[in-house]
Amino acid sequence: MALLGIVFLLPFIWMLSASLKPEADVFKYPIEWIPQTWRAAFNYHSVWFGKANFTLYYWNSIKVTALTTLLSVAVSSMAAYGFTKIRFPGRNALFVLVLATYMIPAEATLVPLFIIFRSTGLYDTHLGLILLGGFSVLGTFLLRQFFASLSNEYIESAQIDGAGHIRIFLSILFPLVRPAIATYAILRFIWTWNDFQTPLVFLNSKTLYTLQLGMNAFADRNGAFYSLIMAASVSAIVPLLVVFILGQKQVIEGISLGGVKG
């Protein structure tokens, strides 16, 4: 298992090593995992303070990803609560209909969404990207499984004390499914941060580019300089590593609970 883990880590280690070397040493064979000549300061300074507006792309990605994650967690958790703990006519049929939309390939809805966004003024805005990522069928389905595992006695006891659904959701059930919500939040953050297709279709202005589009433009500009591209790539994955390290305890707990209850 340890050997398999090292195999998975090798591409990242090579990328990190290449980002610290002079360009001439990147493809030297045999591979120098630890650079004999260090050029880390020049490479990273060229990425962050060069001609490409890397800082702006970075900020755009952080803003879009953070707001999308918050919106998606709020919408998905409330929808999951509604589909499991609130009885209304046609609840199961409506959930099956919502779930069926997950079977539609995302590419099939791009043209209708593009037309809607152009007509509503959401095209070429960060708000459009945030709204697109904020509604997730998969998030609703995942969180619904955890809400369904909670006893209805919590709700009945709270209703006897006069609590409404909003208070029950926020004060009682939301804290109980916190590991599952943390797991989904981290997954949503990673999916949004790495998303290339959606910004490519719905953004046109370079000042609104997210990091994935910025990386593409950066690679076009510096295609012959792999040390710089690797430095940009390492910079791009730092937020993902930070988020995962901070939330790994919640993720493991959420997956364990899902496995036990599943």
Side-chain angles (χ1 to χ4, degrees), residues 15 29 42 46 66 77 119 134 145 147 153 220 232 241 249 260:
M15 180 175 68
Y29 186 83
F42 175 82
S46 298
S77 58
S119 61
Q145 302 306 106
F147 275 107
E153 292 178 358
D220 288 342
L241 292 175
K249 182 181 177 182
V260 172

Side-chain angles (χ1 to χ4, degrees), residues 81-158:
Y81 174 82
F83 279 124
T84 53
K85 301 302 181 187
I86 300 177
R87 295 187 179 278
F88 57 88
R91 183 182 69 176
N92 292 334
L94 181 60
F95 179 71
V96 170
L97 186 62
V98 170
L99 199 60
T101 62
Y102 189 65
M103 312 301 171
I104 302 173
E107 291 79 8
T109 60
L110 281 179
V111 173
L113 283 173
F114 184 83
I115 295 172
I116 293 172
F117 272 44
R118 285 294 295 264
S119 61
T120 56
L122 290 173
Y123 175 71
D124 201 25
T125 66
H126 283 161
L127 178 60
L129 292 184
I130 294 167
L131 291 177
L132 273 176
F135 299 89
S136 169
V137 177
L138 182 60
T140 302
F141 174 74
L142 290 175
L143 295 179
R144 181 182 178 276
Q145 302 306 106
F146 284 89
F147 275 107
S149 67
L150 300 177
S151 173
N152 289 330
E153 292 178 358
Y154 291 114
I155 298 177
E156 293 167 359
S157 300

